[in-house]
Amino acid sequence: MFERLHSEPSSRLDAEPAKRAHSALGLAALAALALWEPSANAANVDGPMLNVDVAVVFAVDFSSSIDPKIADLQREGHAAALTSPEIIRAISQNYLGCIGVAYFEWSSPGHTRTVLPWTRICGLEDAKTAASVIRTNGDTGYLRRGRGGTSVSAAIDVGSLLLDRFPGNAMKKVIDISANGENNDGLPVQPSRQNAIAKGYTINAIAIPADDEDPGQPLASYFAQSVIGGSQAFVISSSGPRDYIAALRRKLVTEVSMNVDPHIAATGNQ
């Protein structure tokens, strides 16, 4: 079972603290991107340009709290979703019939790992190639020492910079966060969130709650109130492995669709 929660209207932040936080976050994000592989390695690229309907950055949590079970859930869930008939159909019904996808893993500020550089997906074969890279290079959750905490702020900032550097044109740009905890490392989330929203980017999230989650303080509510934002932003929460894959698939349909009403695409059970 999963739910769709809309973001609240963004509040105006004090300008000077926001500027200082943005500057610090930008430096951390640039350091994290120093090892980012060039987009020339991306699959199915027409020269230097990736002209697509939608560009999506998958920002996947690989902090020390991500055990092998959750790591498999995220890695296999994203790979399976990309190759699902629903996603391929949604992509084909868009104007250009292509999306751009990048996938990175994050934990503390400055700790990111490239899994899939910017890649254009225009059909099932492209999706299978991207999914294979995610399955092969994605986190397994076995080597967790030294990864640190959960810096959602840094994840948003790195995702935002990747969208800034998208090597082409996209009518819609999305930062897609998957995580199992609240921001507990690095700077506060709000400056990064506001910075991404100001650029016209949408931040969506999928929350992976703990087995003993307090029903009075669900992780999805934290993401809805403090993390997501932008046009038609939403968060979903899963209750188990099968539900995670189904929820992620429906979430991606909403994100990559230009012709589907998100109120229809992101609601319901499966």
Side-chain angles (χ1 to χ4, degrees), residues 40-264:
N41 293 333
N44 193 27
V45 179
D46 234 344
M49 300 293 285
L50 288 168
N51 292 320
V52 298
D53 295 293
V54 184
V56 182
V57 176
F58 296 120
V60 179
D61 188 354
F62 83 146
S63 61
S64 57
S65 63
I66 301 297
D67 60 23
K69 179 181 177 182
I70 298 176
D72 286 349
L73 192 69
Q74 293 186 115
R75 184 183 67 251
E76 292 299 323
H78 283 83
L82 278 176
T83 56
S84 68
E86 296 94 331
I87 298 297
I88 302 304
R89 183 166 54 251
I91 293 171
S92 69
Q93 291 174 348
N94 285 341
Y95 304 111
L96 297 176
C98 297
I99 64 170
V101 173
Y103 184 117
F104 77 95
E105 295 167 340
W106 55 273
S107 56
S108 298
H111 289 76
T112 65
R113 178 174 176 270
T114 302
V115 174
L116 181 74
W118 279 121
T119 298
R120 187 171 60 180
I121 296 176
C122 303
L124 182 58
E125 292 307 310
D126 294 338
K128 285 181 176 178
T129 299
S132 177
V133 173
I134 292 171
R135 286 191 170 104
T136 301
N137 299 337
D139 176 41
T140 63
Y142 286 102
L143 300 175
R144 292 183 281 162
R145 181 175 296 179
R147 289 189 181 175
T150 303
S151 182
V152 178
S153 56
I156 293 173
D157 213 46
V158 171
S160 181
L161 280 174
L162 286 171
L163 289 175
D164 291 348
R165 296 179 177 188
F166 181 70
N169 300 305
M171 288 178 274
K172 178 179 173 183
K173 293 185 175 182
V174 179
I175 301 171
D176 186 329
I177 295 177
S178 176
N180 74 335
E182 298 182 10
N183 189 71
N184 60 22
D185 199 359
L187 294 172
V189 173
Q190 285 304 315
S192 290
R193 175 179 178 271
Q194 292 299 109
N195 185 42
I197 293 171
K199 294 177 181 179
Y201 304 156
T202 296
I203 306 169
N204 295 329
I206 182 165
I208 308 172
D211 293 336
D212 59 350
E213 179 179 72
D214 180 355
Q217 295 181 310
L219 182 61
S221 292
Y222 164 76
F223 275 96
Q225 295 166 7
S226 303
V227 176
I228 67 170
S231 176
Q232 300 175 338
F234 63 95
V235 59
I236 57 179
S237 179
S238 65
S239 59
R242 291 184 64 185
D243 181 59
Y244 177 90
I245 294 173
L248 180 59
R249 184 172 64 245
R250 292 178 65 85
K251 177 174 179 287
L252 292 184
V253 168
T254 304
E255 290 173 336
V256 307
S257 297
M258 301 295 293
N259 302 317
V260 176
D261 183 346
H263 293 281
I264 297 173

